[in-house]
Amino acid sequence: MKVQVVYFARYREQLGVEGEAVEGDFAVLDDVRLALLARGEAYAVLGEQNLMCARNQDLCRLGEPLAEGDEVAFFPPVTGG
């Protein structure tokens, strides 16, 4: 399965890319995150406990089921003040 991954805020800055196409055997969104984490180095940021995610521009949890061509987004928690 192929999905488009988009990174926001400091994740984009740390990884040095806005997004990328990723292929693999993904059933749920967390499968994508784990595949990226396995790359090591800068991708370790995706292991943060408060990581937020979206599927096709809707906020979701890591257990969200995926389909071919979905857009997956990762971003840090948003804080306000």
Side-chain angles (χ1 to χ4, degrees):
M1 168 184 310
K2 187 178 202 176
V3 296
Q4 182 65 34
V5 180
V6 182
Y7 307 105
F8 289 97
R10 64 184 171 84
Y11 293 173
R12 177 184 293 177
E13 293 170 14
Q14 186 163 342
L15 294 169
V17 295
E18 291 183 16
E20 60 186 306
V22 180
E23 290 189 53
D25 186 21
F26 309 131
V28 296
L29 196 142
D30 198 40
D31 294 336
V32 176
R33 185 185 69 88
L34 293 173
L36 293 168
L37 271 173
R39 294 179 178 179
E41 298 184 23
Y43 287 92
V45 72
L46 299 179
E48 291 183 344
Q49 190 168 4
N50 293 327
L51 167 114
M52 296 187 70
C53 56
R55 175 181 167 249
N56 299 329
Q57 301 180 4
D58 289 323
L59 288 176
C60 65
R61 296 181 181 257
L62 291 170
E64 181 77 13
L66 294 179
E68 177 75 30
D70 278 350
E71 178 188 83
V72 171
F74 293 111
F75 47 99
V78 179
T79 59

